[in-house]
Amino acid sequence: MGDQYALKFISGKYQGGEFPLKSEKPCVIGRSSELDMVLVEDMVSRKHAKITWATGKLNIEDLGSTNGTFVNGEKILKPSRIKEGDRILIGTSILKLVKAGQSIDMTDAQVKQNLEQVAAQQSAKQTKTAMTGKLEEVPLPDLLQLFYTSKKNGVLVVNGDREGKVYLRQGKVYYAVIDDNHELGPQKSFNRIVTWEVGDFELRPPDPQEFMVELDSSTEGLLMDALRQLDEMRRIQGDLPAADATLTLAVPMSPALRDLTPDELDVLQLIINWGTMQGALDHSPVDDLTVCSAVLNLMQRDYIRLV
């Protein structure tokens, strides 16, 4: 017998539950009570999707559902191969294909009872939340891609050390804010939130409030730019001072101010005004990568020093 798999719920009303896929037995998923996996929610069709075995491999197909079936952020239009680690979005549930644990030995009745217990526990600790989960299970870039392709509306609230909110309209990100500090700006807030790797998320209903400035780039463009900056930041991270470290002008200052670029001059002024890396980051109109690169250059050329 080859590997045995299960679908682990990492978001939605059954979050934390696991559904074993029996060897060589098809699994039909939907809202109808006589199916193999029953997901009782409005966004799931009566017969939504089916998982089948073929030559020892798993395939998934959409059964003409209203809202579609998504694998790793892509809407499937024909039977598609799935493998361990793939994420499947059906309704408000994100399911991850994993190696089966103890659930493989459960009877169908035990599996159903277990999922009902999980749903009851989730319901007891949640209000009417459309979707919840952990960033450790679904990285934010993957989650936002899922929401984009499935055209979700709402506010994605991310709670780690701080609270971030990402506003979605038909899957498109149009605003972002951290700890309701709107002075930071939506672009900078979004770029920071995307780097968070630990915490909880929930997709709340749409928020009617309007914002003076909205993000107009595509979700893919925003993610590509944020991840590019993240890669560059990781490259220089080890050389940067701590965010709360105190910085001051080098006195005496040997290099000439006229040799600085406009960005470097602006960051130098921010260091004078705020005295820390975080102060410069939070009060600069440009992105964090530009500020950090300027700080690094200013330190290396002895314009500023750590206190």
Side-chain angles (χ1 to χ4, degrees):
M1 183 181 292
D3 291 329
Q4 294 180 300
Y5 295 97
L7 293 172
K8 181 181 178 182
F9 288 83
I10 56 178
S11 168
K13 66 183 291 186
Y14 302 100
Q15 181 188 340
E18 191 173 291
F19 187 94
L21 297 170
K22 305 295 185 180
S23 296
E24 308 303 322
K25 180 187 175 186
C27 172
V28 182
I29 304 166
R31 202 172 66 238
S32 183
S33 59
E34 77 273 5
L35 302 183
D36 303 296
M37 183 194 290
V38 181
L39 302 180
V40 184
E41 58 168 286
D42 293 340
M43 292 186 67
V44 176
S45 296
R46 184 175 173 275
K47 285 188 177 181
H48 198 107
K50 180 167 71 171
I51 295 176
T52 54
W53 293 82
T55 62
K57 304 294 183 181
L58 283 167
N59 290 316
I60 187 169
E61 65 176 302
D62 184 78
L63 300 178
S65 67
T66 302
N67 293 298
T69 302
F70 300 82
V71 175
N72 297 330
E74 297 292 329
K75 187 174 185 177
I76 59 170
L77 303 176
K78 60 182 180 180
S80 303
R81 179 70 50 84
I82 52 174
K83 61 186 185 302
E84 184 181 358
D86 283 350
R87 297 182 183 91
I88 301 162
L89 174 65
I90 296 177
T92 64
S93 292
I94 302 176
L95 306 100
K96 185 177 182 180
L97 186 64
V98 299
K99 292 281 180 63
Q102 295 180 343
S103 64
I104 199 67
D105 297 320
M106 291 182 181
T107 65
D108 291 347
Q110 287 173 324
V111 170
K112 182 178 180 182
Q113 182 182 22
N114 182 58
L115 288 179
E116 288 174 350
Q117 289 174 346
V118 168
Q121 291 168 357
Q122 288 290 341
S123 177
K125 63 184 180 182
Q126 293 176 13
T127 55
K128 292 185 178 179
T129 300
M131 187 178 287
T132 64
K134 292 187 173 295
L135 297 183
E136 297 91 322
E137 291 277 11
V138 195
L140 263 174
D142 293 1
L143 189 63
L144 289 167
Q145 186 64 33
L146 276 172
F147 291 163
Y148 174 71
T149 52
S150 55
K151 300 187 183 304
K152 297 290 187 189
N153 292 306
V155 182
L156 177 63
V157 180
V158 185
N159 281 296
D161 293 333
R162 308 176 72 180
E163 181 185 76
K165 295 178 183 177
V166 179
Y167 292 75
L168 301 165
R169 184 187 295 127
Q170 286 292 294
K172 183 182 181 298
V173 175
Y174 69 92
Y175 194 77
V177 65
I178 297 174
D179 291 338
D180 289 326
N181 175 18
H182 296 274
E183 292 183 7
L184 196 59
Q187 181 78 62
K188 188 175 288 191
S189 296
F190 178 81
N191 288 349
R192 292 186 185 181
I193 293 169
V194 167
T195 67
W196 297 356
E197 297 178 338
V198 177
D200 299 317
F201 71 81
E202 62 176 325
L203 183 64
R204 295 178 182 170
D207 190 324
Q209 72 173 306
E210 298 180 0
F211 303 103
M212 294 293 291
V213 178
E214 290 191 1
L215 297 168
D216 55 9
S217 298
S218 68
T219 296
E220 292 99 326
L222 289 169
L223 284 171
M224 285 179 63
D225 187 55
L227 294 175
R228 176 191 62 79
Q229 288 195 37
L230 177 59
D231 286 342
E232 289 294 313
M233 287 286 282
R234 283 172 173 163
R235 186 177 59 79
I236 63 175
Q237 194 73 48
D239 298 321
L240 291 170
D244 59 352
T246 301
L247 296 166
T248 187
L249 291 177
V251 179
M253 185 184 294
S254 300
L257 289 173
R258 63 175 174 271
D259 293 336
L260 295 176
T261 67
D263 279 342
E264 289 169 341
L265 276 171
D266 288 344
V267 171
L268 185 66
Q269 183 175 357
L270 289 168
I271 294 299
I272 294 170
N273 289 342
W274 300 100
T276 64
M277 183 81 166
Q278 195 64 58
L281 288 167
D282 288 348
H283 294 89
S284 172
V286 300
D287 61 77
D288 289 348
L289 176 60
T290 299
V291 174
C292 288
S293 298
V295 167
L296 197 55
N297 285 333
L298 290 168
M299 291 181 66
Q300 290 172 343
R301 293 155 64 190
D302 203 30
Y303 285 95
I304 59 174
R305 296 171 184 170
L306 277 170
V307 175

